[in-house]
Amino acid sequence: GGDATSSAPAGVPEAKTDTALKDGLKSLADGNAAEKVYARIPKVDSSKFIVDYKTVVADMGGHYVDGSRDTWVANSLNEVKEFKNDSKKTVAYMVKEFEMKKSADQYARAATSKTGSLDMGALHTYKFNDDLFKKVTTLPGATNHGMVMVVDWSGSMVDNLKGTIEQLLQLVMFCRRTKIPFEVFAFTSCYNGSVYSSGGYLDVKYGEVTISKDMRLLNFFSSKMSAAEEEKMMHYLWMIGKRYNRSYENWNITGYPINPHRNYSLGGTPLNDAIVVLMDFLPKYKKDSGVQKINTIFLTDGASNSLPGVKDANNHGDFYQDFRNDNLLIDPVTNKRYEFDGYNNRVTDILLKALKGRVPGMNVVGFFLAGSGRKGSVSRNTWFHILRGGNVTTERAMAMMRKDKVVMLDSKGYDQYFILPGGGGLAVENDGLADDLAGATKAKLKTAFAKSNKGRIQSRVLLNKFVALVA
């Protein structure tokens, strides 16, 4: 019973073990801990956010058909045709290299086994040969790859747009030659003349993350396009890239530049919103296309716009709760949980992890355009911020960029993360041998040809890295 040292009333037994447990639990509690924000990924119908390529071709075709603009349009068409013709040999060479790598990989994984049947042609060697059975070599089938590329269509891409489009055309030409299924999207906030968040947010359930209604995925290229549609799209994008490019042109010769269709102008950076929409699109695309492995490639030049937050309510009505220092994202489709802090880049990393969770085995690659200005070089200050917390020094990164035009870094969200130059550093090289090599020795010509060929391949940095992924 209770006594002088007991907290229980006299005559009442004390549950000392239970009391000790309660006191222990109290000591474990963090009285200063902030409240955790719980969020669920919403169910999104991706078809409502995608502008299909037929609509894009129709919009741009109507926009550029004008008698007063014939010089600009015709001159741009000649330029893109010349660019494609100049690129054909290099792309064909990379296709050949790709096929050779695939064959080498198949033979490296080949398995030889006995059939159980006697090799009648080897019977005469029975006195000195113990193995008289026929053998069969089995070559494993190559993995069927598909590509989905997602391009930043924001205002900060203005200096990098022409080079980015040149890189895109190389990828499209390669995928066409190798018959790899592909889709190319650009995420934008300006379709139908809207700006980010002006149209409000997607209506979701309480406790779910919402996204902007304005975000659209512009389907610029697709393996389902006809050759004529693809050629038109290349021409239209070439004109947009030229319009934003700041290099000098004699407009009396090339024609006066035309601003792009208002639906396809550059706007904000709704990268996070696009990732949420792709969580619905990519699993469907993999099933419909029949590919075994998807390679999803993001090309951006900056951080994403912040998401509005998690839908909540109080006495004043509905509102959107911002992410805090302690958050838990739940994917109701995979039942996976992801903890993260509230910094915007961490939100993107977590959404990318959730995206990979939706499509097992998918390879998610990031290309970051870090350069600026006409030359597109990456400043030392930019390198300092990119490399902060990593194990690569600024000097090492700058040396790698000069040599290879790309630097690969670790990333918490992407499987592979590449840093690219901008501006002129993105341009695709198609130059041949210099005129001053006429009459040069055979050895000098050989060296010059090898250097020129290497430069052509290295300048196609997106295609170069994609080939390495799928070969």
Side-chain angles (χ1 to χ4, degrees):
D3 54 29
T5 62
S6 173
S7 61
V12 178
E14 180 184 8
K16 292 184 178 181
T17 302
D18 184 60
T19 301
L21 175 62
K22 290 178 180 178
D23 292 340
L25 291 175
K26 287 179 181 179
S27 68
L28 293 174
D30 184 357
N32 298 319
E35 183 180 353
K36 180 175 288 190
V37 175
Y38 294 86
R40 296 191 309 277
I41 298 173
K43 183 178 181 180
V44 176
D45 183 357
S46 57
S47 64
K48 295 181 180 179
F49 290 86
I50 294 175
V51 182
D52 66 274
Y53 63 85
K54 290 187 179 293
T55 300
V56 177
V57 169
D59 286 347
M60 292 192 182
H63 177 70
Y64 287 113
V65 175
D66 188 330
S68 64
R69 304 171 176 180
D70 284 350
T71 304
W72 166 266
V73 174
N75 185 68
S76 300
L77 181 58
N78 290 334
E79 287 178 353
V80 73
K81 284 184 176 180
E82 183 179 355
F83 177 81
K84 286 178 63 180
N85 287 333
D86 289 341
S87 297
K88 279 182 180 179
K89 289 184 179 180
T90 306
V91 172
Y93 173 79
M94 296 186 76
V95 169
K96 180 182 177 182
E97 290 289 306
F98 167 71
E99 297 294 347
M100 289 173 64
K101 287 180 180 178
K102 279 205 312 183
S103 298
D105 180 63
Q106 279 186 291
Y107 278 105
R109 295 183 290 120
T112 302
S113 57
K114 297 178 181 179
T115 63
S117 301
L118 286 171
D119 184 356
M120 304 308 292
L123 279 178
H124 67 283
T125 66
Y126 73 95
K127 288 186 178 181
F128 53 85
N129 184 10
D130 293 333
D131 191 356
L132 300 177
F133 292 95
K134 290 183 179 179
K135 296 182 179 65
V136 60
T137 300
T138 304
L139 292 175
T143 302
N144 182 17
H145 286 262
M147 183 197 76
V148 176
M149 186 158 190
V150 188
V151 181
D152 187 346
W153 207 247
S154 64
S156 58
M157 287 283 290
V158 63
D159 289 331
N160 299 324
L161 202 59
K162 187 173 186 297
T164 299
I165 289 170
E166 290 181 6
Q167 297 285 342
L168 277 179
L169 300 192
Q170 306 298 296
L171 265 178
V172 170
M173 292 172 68
F174 176 85
C175 289
R176 278 290 191 191
R177 288 288 301 271
T178 55
K179 301 189 184 321
I180 293 175
F182 66 92
E183 300 289 336
V184 176
F185 296 102
F187 58 87
T188 180
S189 62
C190 288
Y191 195 75
N192 288 330
S194 61
V195 295
Y196 190 79
S197 299
S198 68
Y201 306 134
L202 181 70
D203 186 25
V204 296
K205 299 176 182 178
Y206 292 108
E208 291 183 339
V209 179
T210 190
I211 62 175
S212 171
K213 284 184 177 180
D214 303 326
M215 197 285 299
R216 291 293 182 272
L217 291 174
L218 308 175
N219 191 193
F220 283 152
F221 292 104
S222 170
S223 51
K224 299 187 289 290
M225 298 174 84
S226 67
E229 289 170 330
E230 184 176 286
E231 185 170 334
K232 287 180 180 179
M233 188 72 78
M234 287 182 173
H235 181 203
Y236 299 148
L237 292 184
W238 187 270
M239 286 190 283
I240 293 176
K242 271 192 66 179
R243 178 64 188 93
Y244 286 122
N245 190 33
R246 299 177 184 179
S247 60
Y248 171 78
E249 283 187 335
N250 186 343
W251 292 341
N252 291 324
I253 298 175
T254 63
Y256 193 80
I258 306 171
N259 289 326
H261 189 290
R262 66 184 183 89
N263 286 352
Y264 304 96
S265 57
L266 305 180
T269 313
L271 171 59
N272 289 339
D273 310 64
I275 295 173
V276 172
V277 173
L278 288 169
M279 290 183 194
D280 178 71
F281 170 79
L282 288 173
K284 295 177 181 177
Y285 176 72
K286 181 179 181 181
K287 180 179 179 181
D288 295 342
S289 63
V291 298
Q292 294 170 281
K293 186 169 185 176
I294 295 179
N295 298 277
T296 302
I297 302 169
F298 291 87
L299 190 148
T300 70
D301 73 336
S304 172
N305 295 338
S306 298
L307 288 175
V310 185
K311 187 174 181 180
D312 204 342
N314 57 23
N315 294 334
H316 302 288
D318 293 348
F319 71 99
Y320 294 98
Q321 171 67 57
D322 292 332
F323 291 119
R324 299 176 181 172
N325 290 333
D326 194 8
N327 310 281
L328 180 66
L329 181 69
I330 303 169
D331 187 346
V333 174
T334 63
N335 291 321
K336 293 183 178 180
R337 296 165 178 255
Y338 308 91
E339 293 190 30
F340 64 102
D341 59 41
Y343 293 103
N344 201 43
N345 62 326
R346 291 289 295 127
V347 175
T348 302
D349 291 341
I350 290 299
L351 289 175
L352 288 171
K353 287 184 178 180
L355 178 65
K356 288 189 285 187
R358 291 283 183 99
V359 187
M362 179 173 63
N363 201 30
V364 180
V365 182
F367 286 92
F368 178 68
L369 298 173
S372 59
R374 186 164 295 179
K375 292 184 178 179
S377 57
V378 184
S379 68
R380 182 175 290 272
N381 187 52
T382 301
W383 277 122
F384 173 78
H385 290 286
I386 292 174
L387 302 173
R388 188 167 47 189
N391 55 8
V392 179
T393 64
T394 300
E395 287 70 23
R396 174 61 178 158
M398 294 177 73
M400 292 167 65
M401 182 66 78
R402 286 192 297 269
K403 179 182 178 183
D404 302 323
K405 297 189 70 170
V406 61
V407 177
M408 182 176 173
L409 298 175
D410 293 332
S411 168
K412 295 180 181 179
Y414 298 103
D415 293 309
Q416 293 175 304
Y417 190 51
F418 298 99
I419 309 300
L420 301 181
L426 278 177
V428 171
E429 293 183 16
N430 281 320
D431 296 334
L433 299 179
D435 293 336
D436 58 6
L437 289 172
T441 63
K442 185 176 181 180
K444 190 174 182 180
L445 285 172
K446 181 180 178 181
T447 302
F449 179 78
K451 185 176 180 180
S452 173
N453 195 44
K454 181 181 179 181
R456 281 171 167 248
I457 294 173
Q458 281 189 336
S459 71
R460 291 160 168 81
V461 60
L462 295 186
L463 176 54
N464 204 3
K465 296 304 177 185
F466 178 66
V467 170
L469 288 175
V470 301

